[in-house]
Each structure stands twice: as structure tokens, then as C-alpha cells.
């Protein structure tokens, strides 16, 4: 490479490195759009708390594990990294009978709290919400 080309390569590398902080802050922006609010890892907004209560009431941990990391059923921590909200809702409400996932569309608690359940599990998947007991922010 000649000197001019070397300088161009170095300039391009500097521009790329200068842009990294902006690229690295993208997850923080995404967190602003998160469907949950969490503080100190275990304090959440009322809707997310309702999702957690639904999780507990439906005993989902029997298949997906108490920390949502999978047992007989898949890890929801991993699944919610790739499933869209609509795919999640369809899976829970319609089930995947061939894979052992029952449908919950006739469960009033699940159907009325499906967005809250998604918020809770998305928070677990994002690593923002700790496993275990939750409480409402401000209480």
C-alpha cells in the first residue's frame, strides 16, 4: 500500500471507532422501548407484576424452569431473544401441541394478561428482571 492508501485506511478505522459509542448505546435505546419497567432487578411496574403473577399461577415453571432457563420446555430466556411479541402470543394462546406446549386461549387469566406475561418474560430475557420474587415499584 502506498502512503495515501495507508492514511485512508487509518482514517476509516478512526471513523469506525468513533462511531462505536453510538452503536454500543443502541441497546440502551432499545431498553427505553421495553414493555416493562424495572428497578433494582426485582421491582417492576404493576403490569409486569401481573405478568409474573400469571406465570406463577399457571405453574409455567414446571416445564420452563423457575428461572425460565428451560427444563422439559425450552428456555424462555433464549426464546424471547428471537420471538416477536406476536409469535410469543400465538405460541402461548394456540400452543404447540406436537412439542408438548398446551394452548391457553381458554384461560381467562392468560388471555387477559398475555401482554403482561410477555413483558415479564421479555424482562427476564433481556436480563433486566432477576429470577425470583418480584414486588411493585414504589411499594
Amino acid at each position: 500500500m502506498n502512503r495515501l492508501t495507508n492514511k485512508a485506511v487509518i482514517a476509516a478505522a478512526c471513523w469506525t471507532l468513533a462511531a462505536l459509542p453510538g452503536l454500543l448505546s443502541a441497546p440502551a435505546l432499545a431498553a427505553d422501548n421495553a414493555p416493562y419497567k424495572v428497578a433494582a432487578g426485582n421491582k417492576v411496574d404493576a403490569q409486569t407484576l401481573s405478568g409474573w403473577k400469571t406465570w406463577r399461577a399457571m405453574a409455567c415453571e414446571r416445564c420452563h424452569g423457575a428461572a425460565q432457563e428451560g427444563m422439559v420446555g425450552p428456555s424462555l430466556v433464549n426464546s424471547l431473544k428471537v420471538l416477536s411479541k406476536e409469535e410469543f402470543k400465538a405460541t402461548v394462546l394456540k400452543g404447540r401441541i406436537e412439542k408438548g406446549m398446551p394452548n391457553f386461549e381458554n384461560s381467562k387469566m392468560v388471555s387477559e394478561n398475555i401482554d403482561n406475561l410477555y413483558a415479564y418474560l421479555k424482562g427476564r430475557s433481556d436480563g433486566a428482571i432477576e429470577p425470583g420474587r418480584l414486588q411493585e415499584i414504589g411499594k
Side-chain angles (χ1 to χ4, degrees), residues 86-106:
E86 294 310 314
E87 291 169 328
F88 168 79
K89 290 169 75 171
T91 300
V92 172
L93 296 175
K94 301 291 182 194
R96 289 185 177 166
I97 304 303
E98 72 283 0
K99 293 183 177 183
M101 172 72 181
N103 74 55
F104 288 93
E105 65 187 343
N106 293 325

Side-chain angles (χ1 to χ4, degrees), residues 8 12 15 18 36 47 56 59 63 70 85 87 96 104 128 132:
W15 279 95
Y36 53 84
Q47 292 77 25
R56 302 266 312 192
C63 293
K85 183 177 180 179
E87 291 169 328
R96 289 185 177 166
F104 288 93

Side-chain angles (χ1 to χ4, degrees), residues 5 12-14 17 20 22-23 25 27 35 39 42 51 53-54 60 72 75 84 86 94 107 111 118 120:
T5 304
C14 289
L17 289 174
L20 278 177
L23 294 174
S25 66
N42 67 348
K53 288 179 178 177
T54 300
C60 302
V72 175
S75 165
S84 70
E86 294 310 314
K94 301 291 182 194
S107 166
S111 61
Y118 174 78
Y120 166 63

Side-chain angles (χ1 to χ4, degrees), residues 5 9 13 32 44 50 55 62 68 71-72 74-75 88 92 94 101-102 107 112 120 127-128 133:
T5 304
V9 169
D32 290 342
V44 297
S50 179
W55 164 269
R62 288 183 300 184
Q68 298 81 36
M71 287 179 47
V72 175
S75 165
F88 168 79
V92 172
K94 301 291 182 194
M101 172 72 181
S107 166
E112 289 180 355
Y120 166 63
R133 183 168 291 281

